[in-house]
Amino acid sequence: MVLPPPSSRPSPGAPGRRAVLLGTAAWCVATAACSSGGKPSPAAASTGTGSRTPSTASPAGSASSSGSPSVSASPPDVLPRAVPWRPGPGEIEPAAKLAAVRLVEALGTWPAGKGGREAAAARVAELGVSDALAAQLAQESGSLAPSADAAVVRVIDAQYGGILPDTASVLVVCDQPTLTGSSVHHGGTTVDVRLSRDSGGWAVTSLHPAAPGPAAALDSAAREVLAQSRIELPPASVADIRSGAVHDSALRAMLQLAGTYRLSVSVVRSGHPLDVFGTDRPSDHPLGRAFDVWRIDGRPVVDPATSRSLITSFMRAAAAAGSYNVGGPVRLTGGATANQFFSDDTHHDHVHVGFSS
């Protein structure tokens, strides 16, 4: 189911003043107003938790399964309502994820006439960011800022690309319908949001949005994955597969796993850190040799209510499908090698499935 070269190597940035604060209720209401005629809806202003919006969209410019942008003619007020993402139970450092997500929502959601980098910087500054950092983040918005009259970001998932005591990478996986004239384009992206923590809390320091490459001729494995209804792919991952840069080892494993499980993929290639976070070791993701799964059979990996046996059976099935490096919230034993299974804070919210070739 359809719900590129990797982004440039991230460089550390100084946070300036605290970039994004946890108290963002005003922004939540404002985003709801963007697509509801100026009146926030009760749902958008609620304080419920665990809100994640599944994607049925394709990435802007190249993401439908047929290779063409998904476009529909619509009156100018039919973009879906913005629904602010909120962390559910089981999260480690939810404040870091909230800071990252609120920044992405601010940059990627705007009403008619409020596009462009200057307006984006102004929205970011409203979150408590210094003018200089707001301008920098607007400049770095990349695929999060497509040319359009209006746009709405709806976060599919926010997972860690890495979490250490004072630094973090949060991968914000987005659906982003846009309006141009009277046509709605269904797109989206994934943004690697870098943060640091000081006495004031978590602050966004830089952004590294996915930069999918052009579509290429596809082999049978790629076509099968794109057509498989039991594999949910966000927009950037669809574009990754359509680029032809994802190895057959990963694609065939997805198909094998889909024979038993419904898997919701969060990240394949683009939008992921180039190196394993906190190290100088290249990650398998930008090489097209890994994918992450945030939900199994409709149950989020991060949710404590999700059966541990479901997660562990999926991890073992991933190893049986050829993965040499399976990470998740549970540390398993009995792998073919000493390092086949691993667990850490970064992988408490998803299952990583990596391949050596």
Side-chain angles (χ1 to χ4, degrees), residues 117-129:
R117 287 175 178 163
E118 185 175 341
R123 293 193 299 273
V124 173
E126 290 177 0
L127 298 178
V129 178

Side-chain angles (χ1 to χ4, degrees), residues 9 25 35 91 95 125 201 226 286-287 330:
R9 185 172 299 273
S35 57
E91 294 283 3
L226 292 172
L287 300 174
V330 182

Side-chain angles (χ1 to χ4, degrees), residues 183-207:
S183 297
V184 174
H185 297 245
H186 297 286
T189 191
T190 294
V191 186
D192 175 8
V193 182
R194 298 301 176 94
L195 306 96
S196 65
R197 178 162 61 178
D198 57 23
S199 59
W202 286 100
V204 174
T205 59
S206 62
L207 302 177

